[in-house]
Amino acid sequence: MPIYNAPTKDIQFVLHDLLKVSEQNIPGFEDLDRDFTSAVVEEAGKVASEVLHPLNVVGDTEGCVMENGVVRTPTGFKDAFQQMKDGGWTAMDCDPEYGGQGLPYVMHTAAQEPFVSANMAFNMYQGLTHGAYSAIYAHGSDEQKQTYLPKLTTCEWTGTMNLTEPHCGTDLGLMRTKAVPNDDGSYKISGQKIFISAGEHDMADNIIHLVLAKIQGGPEGIKGVSLFIVPKFLVNDDGSLGARNGVACGKIEEKMGIHGNSTCVMNYDEATGFLVGEEHKGMRAMFTMMNEARLGVGLQGYAQAESAYQNAVAYANDRLQGRDVTGAKNPDGPADPLIVHPDIRRNLMDQKSFVEGARAFTYWGAYLIDRAHKNQDADADGLISLMTPVIKGFLTDKGFEYATAAQQVYGGHGYIEEWGMSQYARDARIAMIYEGANGVQALDLVGRKLALDGGKHVMAFFEMIKTFIKENEGNEALNKDFLNPLKAASKDLQAAGMYFMQNATKPNNALSGSYDFMHMMGHVCLGLMWARMAKAAMEALENGASDTAFYETKIATGRYYMARQLPATAMHLARINTGGDTVMALEAANF
C-alpha cells in the first residue's frame, strides 16, 4: 500500500523562511508565529496520514454507488468527513460571523495540501463547499448569507458549482438551462448539468448547488447568464429543512480517476432557485468560485506529484537492481538499490525540484490573495489574477508529468494496481482539465491577463525579478547558480512578450504560442521561487541553523532546478518565434 507523510518541515520553511508570514503587515498574519503554524500543520498532517490516506485506495476501488437516486460514498468516507467537520478543518479561513476561524487564506492552503495529497477525491467535497461559501459571501444578499453560510462553513451542508452542459463546456454562452421568474422573487430552474463534482452524496444534510442559467428575455450569449442558489432541500424561515427541491442526480459519471468523488449528471426540473447578485451578472459571481478553485486545482497538481514522489523515493531506496557503475554500494547484497543510478536520480530530482518550487509558488499566490482581500491591495489583486492561469495550468501539467515519472521508477510494478502508483497518475489527470482546461488557461494568460490594466502587472512582475537580482548580485554563490539563470530565463519571457506585441495584427501567432508562454512563465515563476528559497536557506545557515542538512539539501535541489529545468524557457521561446503558420498550415480535412 502506498505511503504518505505530510512534508511539514518544508511547509514551515515556505511559510517562515520564504514568505516570513509573521512579519507581514496583513491583518491576521501577526498571529502566525512558528509555534502556531507548526501546531496547525502538524495536526493537519496527522489527520491526512492517519484518517484520509488509508481511505484513498478504498475510494479508488469502491467508488461511489447510486441506488434509487441515492448516492453512497465509499466505506469510511462518512466517518472521516465527520472528523473533518469536528476538527474545524472546513472553516479555517471563513468569517467568524458565520462560524469560521478567520485565519488567513495562506493557512487554509497550508492545511489543505496534506489533505489533497492524502486523498484528493475525498477533499473535493469540502473544497467545492468552500468555493460555494466564497461566492455567496462575496455576492449574496444578507439574507442568503445568514441562511447558507453558517452551514456551509461547518460542511453540515455542502456546495457545488454547476456550469457545464452536454453541448456546452468552455463556451458557456451556449448554455440552455433556463430560469423563469416566480411571483415571489424566486425562479424555476430547468435544464441539465454534467460533470458536477460532489453533486449528490450521503455525507451532508443538504447540498447547495450554485447554478448558471439564463433568464428568459435576457441578452444573448455569456452576457445573459445569471447565478442561482438551488438547494437540494428548500430551507424554511426558521432554518430547518423543508421540501425536496426539483433537482436530482441522473447518474454518476464513470471516470478515469477520482473515483471517490461523486461526479454527477444533475437534472433540474422547475427547481426553485434564488438569484445571487444581479440578473445577467452570473459570470462575475461564478468567477469568485473559479479563481479560488483554480489555485486549489494547481495545488492538486503538485500535491499528487508529492505523494507519488514520496513512494518513488521509498521504492528506489528499497528495490535492488544492478550495480553502481562507480563501485558497489551494497556489496553484501545481490545488487545495489535503484537510487544509486544516475537516471533514477535525474527522475527523482526532477520530481523533487518541481514539487518544492510549486509549493512555494502556490503559497505565494495564497499570500497575494490575502494581501488583496485583507489590505484591499489592487496591485496584489492584479498580480494574482496574472498568476492564476499559470498556477493552474503549469502546475497541473507538470504535476501529472511527475506523477507518471514516479510511476516510471517502479518499472513494471508501477503499472500493477497493487502498488497503487497508477491512482496518482489517474487522479492527477483531471486537474489539467477541470476548472478551465489548460489550453484555455494559456489563452486567458496571453489573450487577457498580459494586457490587464495596460500590462501593468506583468511589468511589475518583471520589475520584481529585476529588483531581486540587483539587490542580491553581490552574493557570489547566489549570483552564479541562481541569479544568472533567472536573469536569462526572464529575458526569454520578455522576448516572448515582445514577439506577441510585435505580432498583434496576427492573433494566430500569439495564440499558437500561448501554451509555450504559459509553461515559460511557469518556469520563470519557479525560478524566482527557487532563487528566493536559496537565499533564505543560505541566510539560515549563516545564522547557525541547527538542521544544516535540510538547508543544504534545499540549496542543492534549487541548484538542480536552475541548471536542468529553467533552461526550458529557451526552447519555449524558439517555438513561439516560429509563429502560427506551421500550426495552422493544414486544412481541417487533412488532419
Side-chain angles (χ1 to χ4, degrees):
M1 183 175 177
I3 61 168
Y4 174 70
N5 295 295
T8 54
K9 182 177 288 188
D10 202 60
I11 290 173
Q12 283 287 88
F13 170 81
V14 173
L15 290 175
H16 294 284
D17 295 71
L18 178 66
L19 297 178
K20 301 184 185 301
V21 289
S22 62
E23 300 173 22
Q24 301 298 325
N25 186 26
I26 302 173
F29 275 54
E30 67 277 3
D31 298 325
L32 303 184
D33 59 48
R34 285 182 183 268
D35 288 342
F36 175 77
T37 60
S38 176
V40 172
V41 171
E42 291 287 345
E43 187 61 27
K46 184 178 179 181
V47 172
S49 61
E50 296 180 5
V51 179
L52 304 187
H53 182 253
L55 297 176
N56 198 36
V57 68
V58 176
D60 189 51
T61 53
E62 287 189 14
C64 296
V65 178
M66 187 167 78
E67 299 172 342
N68 300 319
V70 177
V71 172
R72 307 202 182 281
T73 49
T75 303
F77 269 44
K78 201 169 184 178
D79 288 342
F81 201 60
Q82 188 61 49
Q83 289 186 58
M84 295 292 285
K85 291 187 279 189
D86 291 343
W89 297 109
T90 65
M92 287 185 65
D93 67 321
C94 297
D95 192 330
E97 182 179 347
Y98 304 107
Q101 298 170 34
L103 289 172
Y105 184 68
V106 72
M107 280 308 299
H108 166 83
T109 303
Q112 287 294 301
E113 181 192 324
F115 301 153
V116 175
S117 285
N119 196 325
M120 175 172 154
F122 174 92
N123 200 65
M124 289 170 63
Y125 290 98
Q126 67 160 331
L128 270 294
T129 304
H130 191 278
Y133 163 92
S134 296
I136 296 172
Y137 184 80
H139 302 282
S141 66
D142 289 341
E143 181 182 357
Q144 289 170 344
K145 292 177 185 180
Q146 293 296 334
T147 300
Y148 299 105
L149 294 189
K151 298 291 189 180
L152 290 173
T153 296
T154 60
C155 275
E156 292 175 71
W157 300 350
T158 58
T160 71
M161 53 193 297
N162 287 235
L163 292 80
T164 306
E165 300 183 8
H167 56 281
C168 160
T170 300
D171 191 352
L172 293 173
L174 298 175
M175 72 173 54
R176 296 172 185 162
T177 300
K178 64 181 181 179
V180 178
N182 292 319
D183 293 339
D184 63 359
S186 66
Y187 291 78
K188 290 187 179 74
I189 309 297
S190 299
Q192 184 180 78
K193 299 289 185 176
I194 62 172
F195 308 155
I196 308 307
S197 300
E200 176 63 33
H201 59 85
D202 59 354
M203 299 195 299
D205 297 332
N206 202 2
I207 301 175
I208 309 305
H209 302 287
L210 291 188
V211 183
L212 287 180
K214 289 184 174 180
I215 299 173
Q216 290 181 319
E220 291 296 317
I222 199 69
K223 293 181 179 179
V225 172
S226 300
L227 182 65
F228 299 88
I229 293 172
V230 186
K232 175 181 174 180
F233 290 98
L234 296 173
V235 182
N236 296 322
D237 290 341
D238 63 0
S240 63
L241 296 183
R244 176 69 188 258
N245 207 354
V247 52
C249 174
K251 72 169 185 175
I252 302 175
E253 305 281 11
E254 295 185 18
K255 313 183 295 292
M256 174 179 174
I258 55 169
H259 295 147
N261 195 269
S262 55
T263 307
C264 301
V265 173
M266 301 302 300
N267 297 317
Y268 294 86
D269 183 13
E270 294 193 345
T272 301
F274 306 93
L275 181 68
V276 179
E278 300 176 45
E279 290 186 356
H280 319 311
K281 302 292 185 183
M283 288 309 299
R284 182 175 63 181
M286 185 60 84
F287 267 112
T288 298
M289 288 186 74
M290 292 179 70
N291 283 335
E292 176 185 307
R294 285 170 178 171
L295 185 139
V297 172
L299 186 151
Q300 287 180 342
Y302 83 78
Q304 290 302 290
E306 166 71 42
S307 287
Y309 164 73
Q310 288 188 20
N311 285 275
V313 169
Y315 187 83
N317 276 289
D318 184 64
R319 177 75 166 178
L320 302 181
Q321 292 281 284
R323 288 294 188 190
D324 188 333
V325 294
T326 65
K329 295 297 187 291
N330 180 34
D332 296 330
D336 289 332
L338 277 173
I339 201 163
V340 306
H341 303 301
D343 192 60
I344 295 293
R345 293 291 189 97
R346 171 203 57 78
N347 190 336
L348 294 175
M349 287 296 285
D350 281 348
Q351 296 173 53
K352 180 177 174 64
S353 63
F354 162 72
V355 167
E356 293 180 15
R359 176 176 297 118
F361 185 27
T362 303
Y363 288 22
W364 179 58
Y367 152 78
L368 289 175
I369 289 175
D370 279 324
R371 242 180 65 191
H373 291 173
K374 293 179 178 293
N375 287 2
Q376 300 298 303
D377 187 329
D379 290 338
D381 189 56
L383 191 54
I384 189 55
S385 294
L386 173 69
M387 294 299 166
T388 295
V390 185
I391 291 172
K392 196 281 181 185
F394 180 70
L395 298 191
T396 58
D397 274 357
K398 289 296 182 180
F400 173 72
E401 178 183 335
Y402 291 126
T404 59
Q407 189 181 26
Q408 186 75 12
V409 171
Y410 282 68
H413 290 298
Y415 202 66
I416 303 300
E417 288 297 334
E418 71 176 276
W419 290 86
M421 293 306 289
S422 78
Q423 184 182 355
Y424 296 120
R426 289 185 285 103
D427 286 359
R429 186 64 183 87
I430 185 57
M432 302 162 68
I433 299 171
Y434 61 14
E435 304 306 337
N438 286 357
V440 176
Q441 301 301 320
L443 296 178
D444 178 48
L445 174 64
V446 170
R448 295 180 62 245
K449 298 300 175 60
L450 290 184
L452 192 67
D453 294 331
K456 171 184 176 182
H457 305 295
V458 72
M459 295 307 296
F461 175 61
F462 288 136
E463 189 61 31
M464 182 187 304
I465 295 173
K466 181 180 177 182
T467 300
F468 179 81
I469 291 172
K470 188 173 182 61
E471 288 175 348
N472 295 282
E473 58 190 1
N475 184 328
E476 186 175 339
L478 199 65
N479 200 38
K480 175 178 177 292
D481 295 329
F482 292 90
L483 301 187
N484 287 342
L486 178 59
K487 185 185 298 184
S490 179
K491 286 182 177 179
D492 286 342
L493 186 63
Q494 292 178 66
M498 185 61 67
Y499 175 84
F500 291 156
M501 290 179 61
Q502 292 170 344
N503 286 266
T505 59
K506 299 177 181 178
N508 278 343
N509 283 349
L511 299 183
S512 297
S514 61
Y515 213 91
D516 281 286
F517 188 87
M518 180 179 73
H519 272 250
M520 183 189 295
M521 191 163 177
H523 278 298
V524 172
C525 288
L526 261 63
L528 177 60
M529 293 300 110
W530 270 118
R532 287 176 166 176
M533 286 193 287
K535 178 185 178 184
M538 290 174 185
E539 289 176 347
L541 290 171
E542 290 168 2
N543 293 329
S546 58
D547 193 353
T548 57
F550 174 83
Y551 291 107
E552 289 170 353
T553 298
K554 182 65 67 176
I555 295 167
T557 305
R559 193 178 289 123
Y560 178 91
Y561 191 89
M562 306 305 277
R564 297 284 300 231
Q565 295 294 325
L566 195 55
T569 58
M571 174 193 70
H572 290 299
L573 176 60
R575 289 176 174 174
I576 288 169
N577 282 334
T578 64
D581 290 346
T582 54
V583 174
M584 306 301 293
L586 296 183
E587 296 295 329
N590 295 332
F591 278 89

